[in-house]
Amino acid sequence: MRIEGKEYRTIWFENNAVKIIDQTKLPHQFIIKDLKTVKDAIKAIKVMEVRGAPLIGGTAAYGMALAVQENNDTEFIKKSAEELIQSRPTAINLKWAVDRMMKKLSGINSDQILDIALNEAKEICAEDEKFCENIGINGLKIIEEIYIKKKGTINILTHCNAGWLATINWGTATSPIYHAHKKGIPVHVWVDETRPRNQGANLTSYELNEEEIPNTIIADNTGGILMQRGEVDMCIVGTDRTLSNGDVCNKIGTYLKALAAYDNNVPFYVALPSSTIDWEIKEGKDIPIEERKSEELSHVEGVDENNKIKKVLIYPKKSKAMNLAFDVTPAKYVTNLITEKGICEASYNGLKELFKK
Amino acid sequence: MRIEGKEYRTIWFENNAVKIIDQTKLPHQFIIKDLKTVKDAIKAIKVMEVRGAPLIGGTAAYGMALAVQENNDTEFIKKSAEELIQSRPTAINLKWAVDRMMKKLSGINSDQILDIALNEAKEICAEDEKFCENIGINGLKIIEEIYIKKKGTINILTHCNAGWLATINWGTATSPIYHAHKKGIPVHVWVDETRPRNQGANLTSYELNEEEIPNTIIADNTGGILMQRGEVDMCIVGTDRTLSNGDVCNKIGTYLKALAAYDNNVPFYVALPSSTIDWEIKEGKDIPIEERKSEELSHVEGVDENNKIKKVLIYPKKSKAMNLAFDVTPAKYVTNLITEKGICEASYNGLKELFKK
């Protein structure tokens, strides 16, 4: 998608380095950063220069290629794989991508191992892009149906950033929106600010602006009354991990919006590539929920009146804060899942029909 | 209650001026400000140097006394009353306090009009303090019942600031908490940050710290998963306007917490003095919901590494934001109302029994 009129992907390989957009600097600065070693890739995931389940997966895949480029000794590759998997606990794609890379590389000791690794990472990213495009094509049908009835602008609420910046291209939750916009359906997006880290404001609103899609940032507290007032036609969010029973683990606060949507008969969709499905964990309460540093809450970065980036403490000095990164939305509050293979019920049967034939 | 070990009220009259704590400067600076004219009082309400329904009422009452002190001409007093009522549209106490002052002052042209006005304002504040104390005594019973069963620390979630800083003393939602703490019941408060303006963090956590009550600030998004995990024993919030059917208008985001509490069988209490009851408006959707400046969302104030107060823009420059200040929680999600006269069902019958005998 576009930034300042130019087409980008979120990750690519060039001159022996993996190139990423440093997402901790957005929206105030647009900086392309080089990752040269697997340690760089692990750090980029940990400090969230890259984030979003699919992009974490893509970065982990390229991280494995960087490990091979550094040292193609089997032990080093194995250790790198383990470290990559540990870098963020909640995103399921991370493990999926690393496992897939390990499978591809296992038993290969030839000169071609780097090429094989790079090709596999590129293939993982290309597949994700195709998945996201298909999510858009499938989700577009839902928006079209609402548009046929409403005839006016479709108001869509989203939480956090499940946009193209969270994937390789198109995004998950945003892909149906981009597809609708390209087809000429008038859309307006309510963008949840998404505390902490404000990824809705910093990333989703930013990328929608760059694609010239009308959008309005709101506090995370606001979605409820907008739904009560009939100002939301549908919600679409992404997910970091979808259980086979349809429970959805996503950015903290998703659950509250799902409750409000349910209470006001607003359809609530979750968009996901099948790589985020966890067929193993059976119940939402068993998903490991990452607790991140409280500084992400107590300190905020922005630009001051001189256009300088400043970090400020916004809490009382004596106060403690606690920063859980995800919550779990029970399947019963999810209208449907939008996947690359089609739309299905948020349930074992729904997912099985599409993915376990 | 205490600030740095010293006892304060939020408003008092001294040397021909109304003294307030400038709440826009908290928690980084503790500044006592003089209001000398009714215009000062209107501005203090508008820019939220004072906020919280009961304190807005108290300030409006003293604002009327300042009008009388400036110019005791009937027309001027009447015009001042109208301007005060317009200063914030949602808080019901504002109109209640001004109407009560007008009733007291009507037909009085004597030299004593200023004394009468000041005494009435003082009386309104003293009544509010007594109401809040009684809310605490009544709410304490609920906490005690939970404590008898649980025996461990009681985790209480609150939203925004319905603390003593929102009233004259004690607070509404916090009064049961302060009373429990004084009685030796171990309490821990989950403080919703409460975007925009962060009044949970800036004011509630601040005042709990000063009273040495354990508390932890969380993002507004976090309450849902804490309730799913059983880490919240009860919620208590305040209200800016309570309808006679039990619907509760309070700081934006309250409704989302009420939904989560309902979904997880966590009791959800609303603490209020009877001055916030609106016997006229019949349905939540008819309450005027104040829309405030989007800068309250897009800009955040904090202290930088040099301990200087800085305001920073946290959104993309091209982005729009929308800032609704309140939402409405339907009565069905409210376990009970805690009032100065006792605890009642959030319903017309519940309220009537206590207040319309």
Side-chain angles (χ1 to χ4, degrees):
Chain A
M1 310 298 285
R2 283 176 296 173
I3 292 175
E4 290 172 20
K6 199 180 152 194
E7 277 287 334
Y8 285 93
R9 298 291 176 273
T10 50
I11 190 164
W12 67 98
F13 191 79
E14 199 183 310
N15 297 333
N16 304 324
V18 174
K19 306 273 185 179
I20 58 161
I21 298 165
D22 181 353
Q23 300 196 18
T24 62
K25 296 291 188 293
L26 292 175
H28 308 300
Q29 290 177 306
F30 176 67
I31 291 171
I32 291 168
K33 190 165 176 172
D34 284 10
L35 311 179
K36 293 180 179 168
T37 64
V38 65
K39 286 247 173 313
D40 288 348
I42 290 166
K43 194 187 151 210
I45 293 169
K46 274 193 180 161
V47 303
M48 297 174 69
E49 289 164 355
V50 292
R51 16 71 51 208
L55 178 55
I56 289 172
T59 309
Y62 271 116
M64 287 300 296
L66 288 172
V68 170
Q69 181 171 268
E70 267 173 277
N71 179 352
N72 64 16
D73 173 73
T74 311
E75 277 313 300
F76 181 75
I77 294 172
K78 227 171 120 180
K79 198 172 135 269
S80 299
E82 280 160 17
E83 285 176 14
L84 272 165
I85 288 172
Q86 293 307 316
S87 58
R88 286 200 66 193
T90 306
I92 180 89
N93 301 51
L94 179 53
K95 188 171 180 308
W96 170 87
V98 172
D99 286 349
R100 179 163 153 182
M101 291 295 288
M102 282 304 281
K103 204 171 155 190
K104 192 77 184 182
L105 299 175
S106 99
I108 296 178
N109 291 307
S110 74
D111 292 351
Q112 285 155 9
I113 186 165
L114 178 58
D115 282 346
I116 291 169
L118 282 171
N119 275 335
E120 190 67 5
K122 202 172 165 186
E123 181 59 29
I124 285 174
C125 289
E127 273 176 26
D128 184 74
E129 185 171 346
K130 187 70 197 160
F131 281 8
C132 286
E133 191 181 350
N134 286 338
I135 288 169
I137 293 165
N138 293 329
L140 172 61
K141 291 172 209 154
I142 297 167
I143 299 178
E144 281 176 324
E145 273 169 31
I146 297 173
Y147 184 60
I148 287 165
K149 282 187 203 145
K150 190 182 177 186
K151 293 185 180 77
T153 298
I154 309 299
N155 289 302
I156 302 171
L157 184 140
T158 192
H159 189 69
C160 197
N161 177 258
W164 77 270
L165 290 168
T167 63
I168 310 304
N169 201 14
W170 293 106
T172 54
T174 54
S175 189
I177 299 170
Y178 287 130
H179 279 81
H181 181 68
K182 280 183 198 293
K183 222 184 156 173
I185 296 173
V187 287
H188 165 262
V189 185
W190 294 114
V191 178
D192 273 358
E193 175 184 63
T194 322
R195 288 278 296 151
R197 300 189 73 96
N198 295 2
Q199 289 151 327
N202 290 347
L203 304 176
T204 304
S205 179
Y206 174 83
E207 61 166 89
L208 292 170
N209 290 342
E210 296 299 317
E211 287 287 332
E212 295 176 4
I213 295 182
N215 70 91
T216 308
I217 302 171
I218 49 176
D220 299 312
N221 286 325
T222 311
I225 192 163
L226 290 178
M227 293 189 218
Q228 285 177 324
R229 288 175 160 195
E231 293 183 45
V232 181
D233 296 304
M234 67 189 297
C235 302
I236 318 181
V237 299
T239 166
D240 292 77
R241 194 188 287 242
T242 314
L243 298 197
S244 59
N245 69 0
D247 285 359
V248 168
C249 180
N250 190 43
K251 181 75 180 186
I252 191 95
T254 302
Y255 166 52
L256 297 174
K257 291 306 137 60
L259 287 172
Y262 190 82
D263 197 42
N264 293 285
N265 294 312
V266 173
F268 189 90
Y269 294 96
V270 179
L272 61 128
S274 53
S275 54
T276 61
I277 301 170
D278 183 335
W279 295 97
E280 283 168 26
I281 290 182
K282 298 293 173 222
E283 282 189 81
K285 69 177 177 47
D286 296 327
I287 299 173
I289 301 290
E290 182 178 2
E291 187 178 338
R292 297 182 56 87
K293 284 192 296 185
S294 65
E295 283 72 23
E296 290 186 351
L297 271 164
S298 60
H299 290 72
V300 169
E301 205 171 72
V303 292
D304 70 7
E305 70 282 10
N306 301 317
N307 225 15
K308 286 233 168 86
I309 292 180
K310 277 269 173 201
K311 188 176 253 187
V312 292
L313 164 72
I314 57 170
Y315 287 172
K317 285 206 180 77
K318 294 181 196 169
S319 293
K320 267 196 330 176
M322 202 267 283
N323 179 15
L324 288 177
F326 301 93
D327 65 19
V328 179
T329 301
K332 67 176 168 181
Y333 299 119
V334 178
T335 306
N336 270 322
L337 303 174
I338 307 171
T339 79
E340 77 273 13
K341 284 212 181 166
I343 295 158
C344 73
E345 194 182 82
S347 69
Y348 184 75
N349 287 339
L351 284 167
K352 204 180 96 181
E353 201 150 310
L354 285 182
F355 294 102
K356 278 206 158 174
K357 270 174 190 162
Chain B
M1 311 297 285
R2 285 175 296 171
I3 292 177
E4 289 170 21
K6 197 179 153 194
E7 278 285 334
Y8 285 93
R9 299 290 176 273
T10 51
I11 190 164
W12 66 98
F13 191 80
E14 196 181 313
N15 296 333
N16 304 323
V18 175
K19 306 272 185 182
I20 58 162
I21 297 166
D22 181 353
Q23 300 197 16
T24 63
K25 296 291 188 293
L26 291 175
H28 308 301
Q29 290 176 304
F30 176 68
I31 292 171
I32 291 168
K33 192 167 174 168
D34 283 11
L35 310 179
K36 294 181 178 168
T37 65
V38 64
K39 285 246 173 315
D40 289 348
I42 290 167
K43 194 186 152 214
I45 294 170
K46 273 194 182 163
V47 303
M48 298 174 67
E49 288 164 354
V50 291
R51 18 69 51 207
L55 178 55
I56 288 173
T59 309
Y62 272 117
M64 288 300 296
L66 288 172
V68 169
Q69 180 170 269
E70 266 174 277
N71 179 350
N72 66 17
D73 174 73
T74 313
E75 277 313 298
F76 180 76
I77 293 172
K78 223 170 121 181
K79 196 172 136 273
S80 298
E82 280 160 18
E83 284 175 12
L84 271 165
I85 289 172
Q86 292 308 314
S87 58
R88 287 202 65 195
T90 306
I92 182 89
N93 302 50
L94 179 53
K95 187 170 182 307
W96 170 88
V98 172
D99 287 350
R100 179 164 153 183
M101 291 295 290
M102 282 304 281
K103 204 171 155 190
K104 192 79 186 180
L105 299 175
S106 99
I108 297 178
N109 291 307
S110 74
D111 292 350
Q112 284 154 8
I113 185 166
L114 178 58
D115 282 346
I116 291 170
L118 282 170
N119 276 334
E120 188 68 4
K122 202 173 167 185
E123 181 59 29
I124 285 174
C125 290
E127 275 177 24
D128 184 73
E129 185 170 347
K130 188 72 197 155
F131 280 9
C132 286
E133 191 182 350
N134 287 338
I135 288 169
I137 292 165
N138 293 328
L140 171 62
K141 292 172 210 154
I142 297 168
I143 299 177
E144 280 176 325
E145 274 170 31
I146 296 174
Y147 183 60
I148 286 165
K149 281 187 205 147
K150 189 180 177 186
K151 295 186 177 78
T153 299
I154 310 298
N155 289 302
I156 303 172
L157 185 141
T158 192
H159 189 70
C160 199
N161 177 258
W164 77 269
L165 290 167
T167 64
I168 310 305
N169 201 12
W170 292 106
T172 54
T174 55
S175 189
I177 298 170
Y178 288 130
H179 278 80
H181 180 68
K182 280 182 198 293
K183 222 183 158 176
I185 297 174
V187 287
H188 165 261
V189 185
W190 294 113
V191 178
D192 273 357
E193 174 185 63
T194 321
R195 288 278 295 151
R197 299 189 73 97
N198 297 1
Q199 289 151 327
N202 289 347
L203 305 176
T204 304
S205 180
Y206 174 82
E207 61 166 90
L208 292 170
N209 291 342
E210 296 300 316
E211 286 288 333
E212 295 174 6
I213 295 184
N215 70 93
T216 307
I217 303 171
I218 50 176
D220 299 312
N221 287 324
T222 311
I225 192 162
L226 290 178
M227 294 189 216
Q228 285 177 325
R229 288 175 161 194
E231 294 183 44
V232 180
D233 296 305
M234 67 188 298
C235 303
I236 318 181
V237 300
T239 166
D240 291 77
R241 193 188 288 243
T242 313
L243 299 196
S244 59
N245 69 1
D247 285 359
V248 168
C249 181
N250 190 40
K251 180 72 175 187
I252 192 92
T254 302
Y255 166 50
L256 297 174
K257 290 308 136 58
L259 288 172
Y262 190 81
D263 197 42
N264 294 285
N265 295 313
V266 173
F268 189 90
Y269 295 96
V270 179
L272 61 130
S274 54
S275 53
T276 61
I277 302 170
D278 183 337
W279 295 98
E280 284 168 26
I281 291 182
K282 296 294 170 223
E283 282 187 80
K285 67 178 178 50
D286 297 327
I287 299 172
I289 301 290
E290 181 178 5
E291 186 178 338
R292 297 181 57 87
K293 283 193 296 183
S294 64
E295 283 72 24
E296 290 186 352
L297 270 163
S298 59
H299 290 71
V300 168
E301 206 170 71
V303 292
D304 70 8
E305 70 282 9
N306 302 317
N307 225 14
K308 286 234 168 85
I309 292 181
K310 278 268 172 198
K311 188 176 253 189
V312 292
L313 164 70
I314 58 170
Y315 287 173
K317 287 209 177 74
K318 294 180 195 169
S319 293
K320 268 196 330 179
M322 202 268 281
N323 179 14
L324 289 176
F326 301 93
D327 66 19
V328 179
T329 300
K332 67 176 166 179
Y333 299 119
V334 177
T335 305
N336 270 322
L337 302 174
I338 307 171
T339 79
E340 77 273 14
K341 284 213 182 165
I343 295 159
C344 73
E345 192 182 81
S347 68
Y348 183 75
N349 286 338
L351 283 166
K352 204 181 97 182
E353 200 149 309
L354 284 183
F355 295 103
K356 278 204 158 177
K357 270 173 191 162

